[in-house]
């Protein structure tokens, strides 16, 4: 810093002396051509310029140069540095006074301009930070906004850790960002006691780097802990950077508290933990129930075909009821397992070429017992192109749609299945003459665990069927559409699946032949 200041002063002095020489040359030329200047006050110009542009030392140099040249060339006796007149002495003192006052006012003005510019930058960064928080939909996005905002303000490497467990892993939000061991230990210490600790600490690492470890807000541990790499600077620079970090965190904390982010983070974490516990419970209970259900269904099937029950109508009907209810329960458990898989692991379809007619027939065969008593009409054109989808997922989606149509249709009501080739898509529409949909049903039909208010007390179900079907269809690049003319006017559920260009080309070639 001292060398840079010396270099800046030397450059300022050089420019100031050039201006002094330039003014002297102008005054000399004017005197030679017959316009003598009785006053040497023009030398105040280099003093003003040097003081406002380069500071005190160049301004004093300009004043000294102006005094010397004025005394030597323009004040009698000429070619002498002596000044006997009081006016000349007062003029020299005026040069020095102007140099000091101008440089002081200039430095104050520059400082105010720099402060104003920095405040403008801080306000702009804080506004961008607030806007980013407004569109954050989860805890990771909020922590990312805090980390990036602090890095932008301090222009230093910043790592934010949500809690002690994340700190113990040794890495920040970005997986490739490693944390030195000493810094990690201090983060764990502050994260464990954010309110009882000092809340801020400087840590020296083995690479002679200084890190600032601090709770974003000692009052709200939900905001996490930040570790800022202040670099290998001198102590005075470290203190300046620390003040900047403290100021930035104070502004960020005020914004976070004003927006109620701490409460939102707590609720989000609670919801996430609740969802994880629910998924684990559903998965565990479902798997435990599958084995005894398989035994019950197997035993009911054997009993139903036993010769001893051939003439026992009531017993045979009872066995049939046991089998049907066990099959229904097995279907509900499978829905829970599918829902758990969709929520936790996602869906990874295994696409292959499949005939849409084969998929539909396989789904109808799977639902044969559930569709008993419902006349099913099937309209499948013979020239349909092959689909590049996961046939198992599409079949399971159709099973859910068929089950939904049978469940909410009165006994004996027909169910129509129509397939259309729309060029780039194939649509499979299942029409029923059942309970239909209200306007509120249409908007929530594909939501998880949705049950229509009209059927909660009269029709069994988990509210997962169409949600699962929609997830399976979406995973194959298609979409599921629900439609109805109103309550008790039936409903139509359409599955649209994309047709690959290769399949479209093959169909066109076959039609040309």
């Amino acid at each position: 810093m001292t060398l840079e200041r010396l270099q800046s002063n030397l450059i300022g002095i050089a420019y100031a002396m050039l201006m002094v020489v330039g003014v002297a040359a102008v005054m000399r030329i004017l005197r030679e051509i017959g316009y003598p200047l009785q006053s040497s006050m023009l030398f105040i110009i280099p003093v003003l310029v040097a003081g406002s542009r380069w500071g005190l030392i160049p301004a004093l140099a300009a004043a000294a140069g102006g005094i010397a040249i004025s005394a030597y060339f323009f004040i009698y006796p000429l070619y002498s540095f002596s000044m006997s007149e009081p006016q000349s002495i007062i003029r020299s003192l005026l040069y020095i006074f102007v140099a000091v006052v101008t440089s002081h006012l200039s430095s104050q003005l520059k400082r105010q301009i720099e402060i104003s510019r920095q405040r403008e930058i801080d306000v702009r960064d804080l506004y961008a930070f607030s806007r980013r928080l407004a569109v954050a939909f989860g805890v990771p996005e909020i922590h990312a906004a805090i980390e990036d905002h602090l890095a932008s303000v301090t222009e230093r490497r910043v790592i934010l850790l949500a809690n002690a467990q994340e700190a113990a892993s040794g890495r920040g939000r970005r997986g490739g960002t490693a944390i030195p061991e000493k810094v990690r230990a201090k983060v764990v210490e502050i994260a464990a006691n954010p309110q009882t600790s000092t809340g801020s600490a400087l840590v020296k690492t083995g690479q002679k780097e200084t890190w600032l470890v601090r709770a974003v807000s000692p009052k709200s541990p939900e905001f996490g802990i930040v570790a800022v790499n202040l670099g290998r600077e001198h102590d005075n620079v470290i203190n300046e950077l620390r003040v900047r970090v403290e100021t930035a965190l104070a502004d960020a904390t005020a914004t976070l508290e004003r927006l109620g982010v701490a409460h939102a983070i707590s609720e989000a974490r609670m919801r996430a933990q609740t969802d994880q516990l629910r998924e684990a419970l559903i998965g565990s209970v479902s798997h435990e129930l599958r084995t005894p259900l398989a035994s019950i269904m197997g035993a009911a099937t054997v009993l139903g075909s036993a010769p001893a029950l051939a003439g026992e109508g009531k017993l045979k009907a009872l066995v049939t009821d046991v089998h049907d209810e066990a099959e229904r329960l097995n279907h509900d458990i499978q829905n829970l397992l599918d829902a758990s898989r969709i929520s936790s692991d996602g869906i990874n379809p295994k696409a292959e070429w499949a005939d849409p007619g084969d998929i539909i027939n396989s789904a109808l065969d799977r639902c044969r017992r559930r569709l008993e008593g419902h006349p099913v009409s099937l309209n499948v054109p013979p020239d349909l192109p092959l689909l590049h989808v996961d046939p198992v997922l599409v079949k399971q989606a159709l099973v859910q749609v068929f089950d939904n149509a049978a469940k909410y249709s009165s006994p004996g009501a027909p169910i129509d299945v129509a397939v259309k080739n729309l060029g780039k898509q194939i649509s499979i529409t299942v029409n029923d003459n059942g309970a239909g949909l209200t306007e509120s049903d249409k908007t929530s039909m594909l939501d998880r665990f949705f049950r229509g208010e009209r059927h909660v007390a009269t029709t069994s179900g988990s509210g997962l069927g169409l949600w699962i079907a929609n997830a399976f269809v979406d995973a194959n690049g298609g979409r599921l559409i629900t439609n109805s003319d109103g309550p008790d006017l039936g409903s139509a559920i359409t599955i649209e699946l994309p047709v690959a260009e290769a399949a479209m080309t093959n169909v066109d070639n076959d039609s040309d032949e």
Side-chain angles (χ1 to χ4, degrees):
M1 295 295 289
T2 304
L3 183 61
E4 292 179 359
R5 184 174 298 174
L6 177 62
Q7 183 179 3
S8 176
N9 286 332
L10 290 175
I11 294 174
I13 291 172
Y15 281 117
M17 297 310 296
L18 285 175
M19 285 192 295
V20 170
V21 172
V23 170
V26 170
M27 293 178 63
R28 186 74 177 181
I29 293 171
L30 291 175
R31 174 171 290 188
E32 291 294 332
I33 64 177
Y35 295 97
L37 297 175
Q38 299 299 326
S39 176
S40 57
M41 289 301 291
L42 287 178
F43 286 105
I44 201 74
I45 296 176
V47 176
L48 289 171
V49 174
S52 61
R53 184 69 182 272
W54 297 293
L56 177 62
I57 295 178
L60 292 175
I67 293 170
I69 292 177
S70 176
Y72 193 80
F73 289 104
F74 301 105
I75 299 175
Y76 292 97
L78 298 177
Y79 310 116
S80 172
F81 290 107
S82 64
M83 291 184 295
S84 57
E85 298 181 0
Q87 183 180 359
S88 301
I89 297 174
I90 293 174
R91 187 184 300 117
S92 301
L93 294 176
L94 179 62
Y95 287 168
I96 297 173
F97 176 76
V98 170
V100 173
V101 172
T102 304
S103 60
H104 178 68
L105 292 176
S106 175
S107 63
Q108 277 193 334
L109 181 60
K110 289 179 180 178
R111 189 179 302 111
Q112 292 297 325
I113 292 174
E114 183 62 29
I115 292 173
S116 299
R117 184 182 296 112
Q118 187 60 46
R119 284 179 178 174
E120 180 183 357
I121 294 173
D122 293 342
V123 170
R124 186 169 60 246
D125 290 340
L126 195 60
Y127 175 67
F129 175 58
S130 300
R131 291 189 61 185
R132 187 168 176 184
L133 285 178
V135 298
F137 292 102
V139 177
E141 289 85 355
I142 294 174
H143 285 162
I146 298 173
E147 181 177 318
D148 293 340
H149 169 68
L150 193 58
S152 174
V153 171
T154 61
E155 296 181 350
R156 288 294 189 273
R157 177 180 163 203
V158 178
I159 301 173
L160 187 142
L161 300 118
N163 45 48
Q165 289 78 13
E166 190 172 298
S169 66
R171 294 190 178 274
R173 179 174 58 89
R174 297 179 175 92
T177 306
I179 304 174
E181 180 63 28
K182 290 183 178 179
V183 178
R184 184 182 63 81
K186 180 57 69 175
V187 170
V188 172
E189 177 185 339
I190 294 178
N193 301 287
Q195 296 178 341
T196 57
S197 65
T198 58
S200 176
L202 291 176
V203 180
K204 296 281 188 180
T205 65
Q207 298 178 348
K208 297 182 179 179
E209 291 181 335
T210 302
W211 287 70
L212 173 64
V213 181
R214 184 187 186 279
V216 175
S217 172
K219 297 179 181 178
S220 303
E222 295 86 359
F223 296 152
I225 311 295
V226 291
V228 184
N229 186 355
L230 302 180
R232 304 174 183 177
E233 305 289 350
H234 296 290
D235 290 342
N236 57 342
V237 180
I238 293 294
N239 291 331
E240 292 178 2
L241 289 173
R242 185 171 186 173
V243 171
R244 288 183 63 188
V245 172
E246 299 284 348
T247 303
L249 284 177
D251 293 339
T253 301
T255 302
L256 292 167
E257 291 177 349
R258 185 170 63 254
L259 296 176
V261 175
H263 182 65
I265 291 177
S266 298
E267 286 190 345
R269 284 180 175 167
M270 188 176 298
R271 286 196 301 269
Q273 293 173 356
T274 302
D275 289 340
Q276 291 177 357
L277 179 61
R278 181 174 61 185
E279 300 299 338
L281 181 62
I282 288 174
S284 176
V285 172
S286 300
H287 280 291
E288 292 297 327
L289 289 175
R290 293 299 292 275
T291 300
L293 268 179
S295 300
I296 293 172
M297 291 174 63
T301 302
V302 172
L303 285 174
S305 58
L309 294 180
E312 299 290 337
K314 292 183 179 180
L315 291 178
K316 193 173 183 63
L318 182 60
V319 171
T320 302
D321 290 341
V322 170
H323 185 277
D324 291 344
E325 290 301 315
E327 189 177 47
R328 183 187 61 79
L329 184 56
N330 184 65
H331 177 71
D332 291 340
I333 292 175
Q334 183 61 48
N335 283 347
L336 291 174
L337 289 175
D338 289 338
S340 177
R341 179 161 62 98
I342 293 170
S343 300
S344 58
D345 301 330
I347 306 172
N348 299 309
K350 299 177 181 178
E352 60 183 67
W353 293 105
D355 186 341
D358 291 343
I359 298 176
I360 295 171
N361 288 325
S362 178
L364 287 172
D365 185 65
R366 171 86 174 271
C367 299
R368 185 176 64 252
R369 291 181 62 88
R370 278 171 252 169
L371 293 173
E372 286 181 353
H374 294 281
V376 178
S377 65
L378 182 60
N379 182 10
V380 181
D383 55 347
L384 291 176
L386 296 178
L387 296 174
H388 194 249
V389 295
D390 187 329
V392 175
L393 293 181
V394 176
K395 171 189 169 183
Q396 290 178 344
L398 283 170
V399 167
Q400 299 291 352
V401 174
F402 291 150
D403 180 70
N404 188 81
K407 184 184 298 182
Y408 295 101
S409 295
S410 58
I415 296 175
D416 301 325
V417 182
V419 184
K420 294 181 180 179
N421 185 356
L422 304 179
K424 294 184 179 180
Q425 295 96 18
I426 283 181
S427 69
I428 306 172
T429 302
V430 179
N431 288 282
D432 63 63
N433 295 298
L437 302 174
T438 63
E439 290 300 324
S440 61
D441 291 341
K442 292 179 183 178
T443 58
S444 307
M445 192 71 176
L446 302 180
D447 292 348
R448 189 179 185 183
F449 296 115
F450 172 76
R451 301 285 312 281
E453 294 181 357
R454 297 177 297 154
H455 314 292
V456 171
T458 57
T459 306
S460 62
S462 59
L464 290 171
L466 291 184
W467 178 77
I468 293 173
N470 184 53
F472 287 166
V473 171
D474 182 70
N476 283 279
R479 61 174 184 161
L480 191 145
I481 306 169
T482 61
N483 192 22
S484 175
D485 292 332
D488 300 322
L489 297 177
S491 60
I493 299 178
T494 301
I495 295 176
E496 291 185 353
L497 296 169
V499 177
E501 292 185 4
M504 295 171 61
T505 303
N506 291 335
V507 171
D508 292 339
N509 293 336
D510 292 342
S511 62
D512 292 340
E513 293 178 359

